[in-house]
Amino acid sequence: MNRIFKLNAVLLILVLMSSCGEKTVYETNIDQPNQAWNAFKPAVFDFDIQDTSKIYKVSLALKLNSKMVEHLIPIDIQMIYPNSESRADLQYLFVDSAAHVGDYSEFTIQANKHFNNPGKYHYSIVQKTYKYDLAGVESIGIRVKITKPKKIEEETE
């Protein structure tokens, strides 16, 4: 009897742990020709958001290889919303020298994102380095996840 109780407790904990994380609602990857991100070919992603009551996290995922030597990658993000509103954002990706070659490294580009209108969202992302082809990028992806809002912690003096 004690054994069954322990097994049920472990199963309950596993179910609770799996429900606490982020839920991916959109994920796709675009393989890069010659394993390089061309400065004049944007990575374009279109995804549909219907639940505007949730908070989302939007991440850029890069699959890198050993040819990646950059540690700072400027990117330009152009966004078009379902109501035809357009926004742009310039960000910098800090590539950790310990990034796992062959694995996807995720960079949060929008945390605590609230999508105001249901419908199709269009994101176009280009690298803005001084290089025509940024070697070492095998694939570019985007991840949109439902998340819980993160609290901003106040600094104590």
Side-chain angles (χ1 to χ4, degrees):
M1 187 65 101
N2 192 17
R3 187 183 224 177
I4 293 173
F5 176 75
K6 287 180 181 178
L7 181 61
N8 284 337
V10 168
L11 288 174
L12 178 63
I13 290 170
L14 289 174
V15 168
L16 290 175
M17 286 176 58
S18 67
S19 65
C20 293
E22 298 171 332
K23 178 184 175 195
T24 302
V25 295
Y26 180 79
E27 177 177 354
T28 193
N29 302 302
I30 302 169
D31 291 335
Q32 296 302 293
N34 303 318
Q35 299 182 349
W37 188 358
N38 185 286
F40 300 102
K41 294 195 84 174
V44 176
F45 305 98
D46 294 305
F47 55 91
D48 192 54
I49 297 292
Q50 291 303 315
D51 190 348
T52 59
S53 68
K54 303 287 187 197
I55 302 296
Y56 295 86
K57 177 174 89 174
V58 181
S59 301
L60 185 68
L62 299 179
K63 186 175 183 181
L64 306 173
N65 64 32
S66 60
K67 294 179 183 175
M68 172 54 68
V69 295
E70 300 295 322
H71 294 288
L72 183 66
I73 304 171
I75 59 169
D76 183 38
I77 308 166
Q78 300 291 324
M79 299 159 277
I80 301 175
Y81 297 158
N83 63 355
S84 299
E85 180 182 349
S86 177
R87 294 200 179 177
D89 191 17
L90 177 65
Q91 293 190 19
Y92 294 88
L93 307 179
F94 295 97
V95 179
D96 186 355
S97 59
H100 299 280
V101 171
D103 292 335
Y104 280 95
S105 297
E106 280 194 41
F107 303 90
T108 301
I109 56 176
Q110 291 178 313
N112 295 326
K113 175 68 177 161
H114 182 257
F115 292 104
N116 293 326
N117 300 303
K120 185 173 125 181
Y121 286 80
H122 175 88
Y123 281 48
S124 176
I125 305 171
V126 295
Q127 62 95 349
K128 302 298 272 183
T129 65
Y130 63 91
K131 298 179 179 181
Y132 180 77
D133 286 317
L134 181 58
V137 180
E138 293 183 17
S139 183
I140 304 166
I142 197 166
R143 313 283 186 265
V144 181
K145 299 176 182 178
I146 296 173
T147 189
K148 294 180 180 170
K150 295 186 180 181
K151 296 178 184 175
I152 299 173
E153 296 182 27
E154 295 181 28
E155 291 185 25
T156 56
E157 295 183 35

